[in-house]
Structure formats: C-alpha cells, structure tokens
Amino acid sequence: MDADEKRQQDDWAQSRRNRLPSFTEVLSRRTRPPVDLFMFYLFLQREGAEDILDFWLDVQQHENLCRAYFKDVRKSGRTIKEDWPQYWDYARRRGSIYGTIVGLNPDGGGTKRSTASTGEMMSEMDKRNLAVAGDEKARQDGRSTSPRPGTAALSDYTRVASPGEDGKEQPRSTTPFSLSRRTPTLFHMRRASRAPTIIPRSAAITRLDLIASAERIFFRYLSPPTTVNVTENHEIYLPPSLRIHSFPLSSTQEPRNQAEETLMAQIPDLFHAQKEYCFRAMEQDAFPRFLRSKAFGTLTPVSALVRLIVGLITLWIGLAAAFSLVFLDVQPKSKRFFLFIPFFIAILCLISHQYELDPILVFLGQSETTPFRTLTIREPYVKKLLLGRAIWVSFLIAIFVVALTMMFWAVPGHRL
C-alpha cells in the first residue's frame, strides 16, 4: 500500500471514529480489520453462504468491464450510438446504470438505474424471435460451444422458474442464506477455484468479452446444477421474478440475427437487479450478524467451542482439587490459595465462550480470523468497543475467581 492509499485509509478511519462502518463501506474496501471485506467473506464462508458475495463481486467486475468498454469507445472518438446502436436504443428506452458514461445524461444528473426484473426486459416479440433463433441454432450446430449442455433449449429466456420434465418446479433454496446442497460448517473446506476477479487487459475490450463475462456469471451462479458441472456450479437463491432460465448467447461468435442483437444489448445491465437484491439481502441479514460477531467479539465459533470444553474440564479439575484439600484437611490452609490457578483458567475460558471475546486477545490488539489465527485490530471504533467489553469481561472473571477461591479457603477442613 503506497503513501496516498494509506493516507486515504486513515482519512476514512477518522470519519468512523464514533460509529460502526456501513455495508457499502465494507464492500468498497474502506474499512480495516476486523470489519473489512476479507473478514466478512470468512464470516459468510463459515455459514456456507459466500456464493452470494462472490456473485455480487463478480457482477461488480462485470459492470466495471462494461464501463471500461464504454470509456474505450469514447476515447476512440466514436459515440456509443455509432458503435452499438442496439444498446443505445435499449438504454434510451429502458434506462441504464451507465447513462452518464454513454452520454445519456450529459448534464451529469442522476443515473437512471434499471430495476426491472429480467422477465420484464424483453417484449413478447423479442421472446418469440429468440425462441425461433434458438431452435435454428440448435438444428444448425447440433451441440453448444458454451459451457452448457448441448441439449439446453434457447427459448423462454425470461421464464421465472426452471421447471422439470414433469412440469413441476425443481426444489430450490428459500432464502439467500439457506443455499441448496450446502450447509454451514465450523471448519474451513477448500472450494473449487473461482475465475479471477480481476480481468487482465492485454488488448482492447470487445463485446465478446462482455458476453463471456456474463456467460460465466450465469453458468456459475444462476443456472440449475443439472445443466453444468456440479463442482463449478454455485447456484444462489433468487426470487422467481429475478431468475434467468437460460443464456442463449455464445462467447465464441458474434450475434447472427436481430433477436440475438437485441438480447446482446441487455448484457451490460443484465444482472443489475439481481445484484441489488443480493446487496439488500446481505445488508439486512448477514451484515448485522457479522458486526455483532466481529465488532463485539474476537473469537470464531470453533475457538469458542474449544474454550468451553477446556473451561469445563479445568473447572472439574479445580473443584476436585478444592474438595480434596477440604476433606483431607491439608495444612497449612494457605495452600488453598493456589486453587485460583485452575479457577482462573476455567472461568476465563467459560466467560470467553459466553461473550465470544477473549480479553487477553483484545489487550494484545488481536482478533481471530480462522480458528487460532489472528490479525491486528485496526478499526478505531471497533477497538474502543472491544476494549470496553474486555474490561467488563475481565472484571467478571476476577469476581468469580476471587469468590470461588475465598469460598474454598474459608471452609473449615474436615478429614474423612
């Protein structure tokens, strides 16, 4: 990180000295550990729900690729209307998130965002033309050159569900965070490798690059698992109005008819509504739980569970030793003060599990990322919150340890 970036991070941190970061700030990488994007990804990974964040990030990269394409066109001296008239007409009629970039909003006003569902983006005539084009392509090619199976139908692009052969809808997830075929896990499991988030620009961006980007997103996150390799499919939940049934375009060839040209014009805005839905779902569901976990605690679930087990075992050892000293009437009585050692370890582990916060880690300025691996707490307001809770937890530990030790010291010995 160079000096300018570090200074910018410091400025952003200073603006949050008395508040927790917003979800937008986390996604835009303006926050510091333990409430940064990396920690949020690990949090979702423990819940088995990181695919929704992967989808958002990949769509964001897709939109950045489209912006780069439009900027390259304008730098070449051509207008978007001249270079891509189909998209210009679509954006002028339907609205686009790239309105300012492509010159639809020359006054710099607010950009009109496309919030319509995918099913509303095409007219009935477009759907019929696309169905005819799909049938012709299937007959001519015999098989598909894209990652989908060769038997996938190209019609009904905007159907809101993926019906099975019997006409009934296949079972799907019911919420973005109860994904099918995956369950939350306490332990990190290696995932299939993802496509790179940063797309190298060794040459000028073409429209086929935009199709390839959209095609990869569709077959990775939106297509049913029966249509692609299961290890490469991470289907996310979307409500019926936002589901995309098929992706007729191919990244290996230019559109060959008017229907495909019309569909290609939607590629830049194709996933924006789905991206906004995922953003709201994460902001309202996962992000508050993430803040509770990392802004008010320092332990991972596995680490907290280990502390619970160690605490219970150590407490049993401490109580056994205490009763032995009492009923064996060991002298001198001051030897009972050494009971504070097992009691301290036991109470520290048990209260740390209860609060999901280890005061020793906080005083050292550390927070866990994965079980028993830590990083430095650098977010100012989070550091202040955790320090206050660590002092309270330390006070509780001291009270319980002193109470147990003094209680067993005060009990008169009686040899059985």
Side-chain angles (χ1 to χ4, degrees):
M1 181 181 294
D2 58 27
D4 292 338
E5 291 178 348
K6 189 176 186 302
R7 190 181 307 110
Q8 190 177 46
Q9 287 286 346
D10 291 338
D11 293 340
W12 287 335
Q14 288 296 326
S15 68
R16 298 188 303 274
R17 292 195 64 86
N18 296 310
R19 66 175 178 87
L20 290 172
S22 66
F23 187 48
T24 302
E25 290 173 328
V26 172
L27 289 181
S28 60
R29 297 175 172 86
R30 296 183 179 183
T31 57
R32 292 175 169 181
V35 288
D36 58 344
L37 184 60
F38 171 69
M39 295 292 286
F40 183 59
Y41 187 88
L42 292 180
F43 175 81
L44 291 180
Q45 194 173 58
R46 286 197 296 270
E47 296 192 342
E50 73 273 23
D51 289 335
I52 189 171
L53 179 57
D54 284 338
F55 172 76
W56 191 94
L57 292 173
D58 282 352
V59 173
Q60 180 71 22
Q61 181 62 29
H62 171 74
E63 293 179 351
N64 290 340
L65 187 70
C66 295
R67 289 187 179 92
Y69 170 79
F70 291 136
K71 289 179 180 178
D72 286 349
V73 171
R74 299 189 70 176
K75 288 179 181 178
S76 68
R78 303 185 65 192
T79 64
I80 304 301
K81 185 176 182 180
E82 296 170 344
D83 180 78
W84 197 352
Q86 293 86 358
Y87 170 76
W88 174 269
D89 182 65
Y90 165 79
R92 184 173 52 82
R93 291 184 295 106
R94 301 280 186 173
S96 174
I97 63 173
Y98 313 98
T100 303
I101 299 175
V102 301
L104 289 175
N105 297 3
D107 56 352
T111 304
K112 180 180 178 182
R113 292 194 167 212
S114 174
T115 57
S117 67
T118 308
E120 298 170 350
M121 286 183 174
M122 297 184 68
S123 65
E124 291 300 322
M125 180 63 69
D126 292 336
K127 295 179 183 179
R128 287 195 294 270
N129 292 339
L130 188 58
V132 173
D135 293 339
E136 291 177 354
K137 183 175 180 179
R139 287 194 298 268
Q140 292 173 2
D141 296 346
R143 63 183 180 88
S144 174
T145 57
S146 64
R148 59 185 178 274
T151 57
L154 299 179
S155 59
D156 296 329
Y157 168 74
T158 54
R159 290 173 64 176
V160 298
S162 298
E165 294 179 358
D166 57 356
K168 296 182 180 180
E169 184 177 344
Q170 298 292 338
R172 288 179 179 242
S173 307
T174 56
T175 68
F177 299 100
S178 62
L179 303 182
S180 58
R181 308 179 309 281
R182 299 199 58 212
T183 55
T185 177
L186 293 176
F187 301 96
H188 172 71
M189 298 180 65
R190 185 173 294 276
R191 293 285 310 280
S193 60
R194 297 175 55 245
T197 302
I198 303 300
I199 302 175
R201 292 191 58 185
S202 57
I205 299 174
T206 66
R207 275 179 256 177
L208 285 181
D209 294 329
L210 306 186
I211 295 178
S213 173
E215 186 178 50
R216 178 178 61 84
I217 291 173
F218 171 78
F219 287 107
R220 184 175 293 274
Y221 302 108
L222 304 181
S223 64
T226 56
T227 62
V228 292
N229 189 336
V230 175
T231 60
E232 295 296 327
N233 178 266
H234 306 294
E235 184 190 14
I236 63 171
Y237 169 81
L238 290 173
S241 60
L242 295 178
R243 293 178 191 167
I244 301 177
H245 179 57
S246 63
F247 191 86
L249 298 177
S250 172
S251 58
T252 60
Q253 61 183 9
E254 292 281 354
R256 296 180 297 181
N257 53 55
Q258 184 62 36
E260 291 185 355
E261 288 282 356
T262 301
L263 179 59
M264 185 176 176
Q266 301 177 24
I267 289 296
D269 296 283
L270 185 60
F271 304 113
H272 182 69
Q274 290 83 351
K275 175 190 169 189
E276 291 295 313
Y277 170 81
C278 291
F279 177 90
R280 291 193 299 270
M282 290 188 290
E283 184 180 41
Q284 297 170 9
D285 188 343
F287 186 64
R289 289 185 284 110
F290 167 70
L291 287 182
R292 284 195 296 270
S293 172
K294 304 313 297 182
F296 297 95
T298 60
L299 302 180
T300 60
V302 172
S303 182
L305 181 61
V306 170
R307 280 169 170 78
L308 174 63
I309 296 172
V310 172
L312 291 175
I313 293 175
T314 309
L315 181 61
W316 179 83
I317 294 173
L319 291 175
F323 282 111
S324 297
L325 292 175
V326 170
F327 292 116
L328 292 177
D329 194 17
V330 176
Q331 298 296 331
K333 199 175 180 180
S334 60
K335 289 184 178 180
R336 299 186 192 180
F337 284 118
F338 288 99
L339 291 173
F340 86 91
I341 297 176
F343 286 155
F344 171 76
I345 297 174
I347 299 303
L348 172 64
C349 291
L350 292 175
I351 293 185
S352 295
H353 166 266
Q354 181 65 28
Y355 282 83
E356 295 185 349
L357 180 144
D358 190 328
I360 297 177
L361 284 180
V362 175
F363 293 141
L364 294 176
Q366 301 293 305
S367 179
E368 285 193 341
T369 55
T370 55
F372 311 110
R373 293 186 178 182
T374 63
L375 50 66
T376 303
I377 302 171
R378 298 177 55 206
E379 187 71 20
Y381 187 63
V382 172
K383 184 183 295 185
K384 183 168 66 174
L385 287 176
L386 290 175
L387 185 60
R389 285 173 62 84
I391 293 174
W392 168 247
V393 168
S394 301
F395 176 75
L396 289 180
I397 292 173
I399 291 294
F400 280 108
V401 171
V402 170
L404 281 173
T405 304
M406 295 304 296
M407 181 178 66
F408 281 99
W409 174 82
V411 173
H414 177 74
R415 188 174 182 85
L416 297 179

